[in-house]
Amino acid sequence: MRKFLIVIFFVCSKSIIFSQDRFAIIEKQLSDLSATSTPGLKEKADIYLSKTSLQIFFAGLAKSYKLNLSVDPSLDIPLSMSFTQESVQNILLYTCRKYSLDYQFTGSIISVSKFKEPVAVVPEKEPSVKYDRIRGTLTLDLKNDSLSKVVKQITQLTGKNVFSSSELSGKLVTLYVQELRLPLALEKLAQANDIELTDNLDSTYQLSLKPVGSNSTSPNKSKSSFQKSAGEPNLTFTINKDVNGDKTITVNAKNQSLNEMIQQISDEMGVNYILLDDIKATLTIHLKEVTYQDFLNYSLAGTSFTSKEINNVFILGERGKEGLRATEVLQMQYRSIDEMLDIIPAELRKGVEIKEFKELNSMVLSGSSPNIEEIKKMIDKLDKPVPVIMIELIILDVTRQFNITTGISAGVGNEPVQSGGTVLPGVDLTFGGNAINKFLDLIGLSNLGGVGPNFYINLKALETNGYVNIQSTPRLSTLNGHEATINIGKKDYYVEQTQNVVGTQNPQTIVTNTYKPVNADFSITINPVVSGDEQITLDITVNQSDFTVRSIPGAPPGQNDRKFKSMIRVKNNDMIVLGGLEKNQKGDTGKGLPGLARVPILKWLFSSRERSKQKDKLIIFIKPTIIY
C-alpha cells in the first residue's frame, strides 16, 4: 500500500511540473514567433469583453493584429475580460491559463484547442491475501478486487488449486475475513459475492456463475415474508436484508387497503412511523426490491397523502398538514422569474403557495413536498441558457441608368444670346442669331435675315450612363424566438398651405405654410428560432419604399413600395441570399412642331426627344450565427 501511495504522489507531482513547463514552453514559442514572422504579437491592445464567444474573440484578434489563428469549433466558452495597453502575446498567454487552452504551433499558424490533462497511469492495486502456513488459515481484505488475481494469489500461497470459470473473468469481489481455513474462506467469498463454489474430488476448488433460474436464496440476503389469509384481498411481501443490514421490499398487492398495507409492512420492517390520518384508498401494486422510502413514494403517488422522515421517524398524513409542509427558495439561473411564474401549470400549483422575490430572481415555494419537487424538476428543465443569434447582413442596392437626349430647339431669350457649348463628350451647343447667319453663309445657304440678338438655336446630342452600387453591412443580435429589426430611411417634406381670414370690416388673409414630413424606408425584420440540431428557422420580412417625382410642385412625393416575405431553414453559420427585388423604369418623350415632328428625317430638325432607362436591384445576404 505504501508503494502504491508513493506512485500516486509521484504521478501527481509530475503532472504539476508538466503544467508549469507547458506554459513556459508556450510563452517561449510566442516570443520566438513575435520576433520572426508575427510582429503583431508585440503590439499593445485595448480589449473589453463581456460574455463574448471565444470564437469571436480570436477572430477579432487575428484580423486586427494579423495573426494566423485556427480555433477548434468545439470550443464554446463565453469570455469576460478587460485589458488596457497590454501586449497581444500576454493576452494570449493569459487566455491559455485562464480557460485551460492548448496552443500548437505550425510555422506562424497557432492552433487553439481545449487542453487535455495527460492520463496518469496508476498501477492496478494488488489484492490483500495473507496465508498462515503454520495454522493453515487465510485472511482476506478485499474491496473491488479482481477475482482472477485473488484466486491466483490464493493458489500461490496455499498450494491448493483454486480457479474461476471464464464467465467470471471481469468479476470484482469484496470481502473481509480473518484467519479462516481455506474451504470456509472460499465459501464466504462465494456467498458474499453471489457466486457458486464447487469442491471437486481432486482437491481443487472452482468458482463459477450461479445457474440461471436457481431457487437458492442469495447468500448475502435474509428473507422474511407475510401472506394474508385466503378470505381477504391478496397481499404478499418479502423483506430482504443484505450483509450491511440494508433492507429492501418486494411486494405484490391487489385491491389492498393502502392504510392496512403500510401498517403491516412498516411493522414487519421495524420502522418507526406515525399515521396522522387514515389513508382511505385501495391499491394494486407490484414492486421488486425497493427501499422503504421508495415504497411509500410509489404507494402515495396520486393521493392527497405524503410522507416525511424526521429523525428516523416516518410521518404520514395529508399533504397540507403542519409538519408535512416544505418551504424552499428556488433561484433562476438563466430565465426571468416573471416568465417562469406564468409557465407553472395550475395542477402543480395546488397545495403550493408561490411568492416571487424579484431582487434575487427567485421564487419561494411553500406546501406539499411532492408538488414542490415536481415544480423544481419542471423548472430545472426550462431554466436553460437562451441562445443568442447574431445575424450578419450584406445589403447590395444596385442602380443602372441610361439616358439619351437629342434634338434642335429655337427661341427668343431675355438677354442677348452668347454662342457656345460643348462638343465632347456630348454635343450641347447654343447659337445666337448672328452666329447662325454666318454659319449658313459659310456653307452657301440663305441666311435667316435680320434676326434679333436675342434669337437662339440649341442643338443637343447627349448620352448618359450611370452605375451606383450601395453596400451596407449591419449586424443584429437577438434572443431565440424574438424579432430583430433594422430600419434605414429618408425623410422628405411637402408644404400644406392654409388661409385664414381675420376681421369683418377690414378682413385680412393670413396664409400659413406647414411643412409635413413623409418617410421612405428600407426595413428588414427577422425572427429566428433555433431547433435542437442547431438548425435555424428564419421568418424574414423585407419592406422597401422610395420617392418618385412630385406630380406638382409642393405636393407630397409619390412612393414606390416593394415587399418580400419568406420563411426558410438554414444551418448555423450558413449564408443565404434573397434577391429578385427589382425595379425597371423606361421613358421615351418627345416634343416638336405638329405634323413635322412625325415626318421621317424632318423630325430631327423640328423636334427633340429624350429616352431613359433605369434598373434598381436589391440583393440581401443573411448569415445567422448561434451564440450561447
Side-chain angles (χ1 to χ4, degrees), residues 5-50:
L5 293 175
I6 291 173
V7 171
I8 295 294
F9 175 77
F10 174 76
V11 171
C12 293
S13 302
K14 188 176 180 181
S15 176
I16 295 171
I17 294 170
F18 171 78
S19 177
Q20 293 174 346
D21 291 343
R22 184 174 76 89
F23 292 119
I25 292 171
I26 291 175
E27 184 176 10
K28 185 178 185 307
Q29 289 175 314
L30 288 172
S31 298
D32 293 344
L33 201 59
S34 66
T36 55
S37 60
T38 312
L41 292 170
K42 294 181 179 180
E43 294 186 26
K44 302 293 184 179
D46 293 329
I47 295 177
Y48 174 75
L49 302 175
S50 178

Side-chain angles (χ1 to χ4, degrees), residues 106-123:
T106 306
S108 64
I109 301 173
I110 305 173
S111 300
V112 184
S113 60
K114 191 68 177 176
F115 176 68
K116 296 180 180 178
E117 290 285 350
V119 179
V121 180
V122 180

Side-chain angles (χ1 to χ4, degrees), residues 268-284:
E268 192 70 19
M269 290 194 71
V271 175
N272 298 319
Y273 67 95
I274 299 173
L275 273 174
L276 300 178
D277 304 282
D278 284 339
I279 306 174
K280 297 177 181 179
T282 58
L283 185 67
T284 297

Side-chain angles (χ1 to χ4, degrees), residues 438-459:
K438 289 180 181 179
F439 176 75
L440 292 176
D441 290 338
L442 182 64
I443 62 177
L445 296 177
S446 297
N447 58 34
L448 298 178
V451 294
N454 294 343
F455 180 79
Y456 71 90
I457 290 180
N458 180 260
L459 174 64

Side-chain angles (χ1 to χ4, degrees), residues 515-527:
Y515 292 88
K516 292 197 170 182
V518 58
N519 294 326
D521 298 327
F522 170 76
S523 65
I524 299 178
T525 301
I526 302 176
N527 189 351

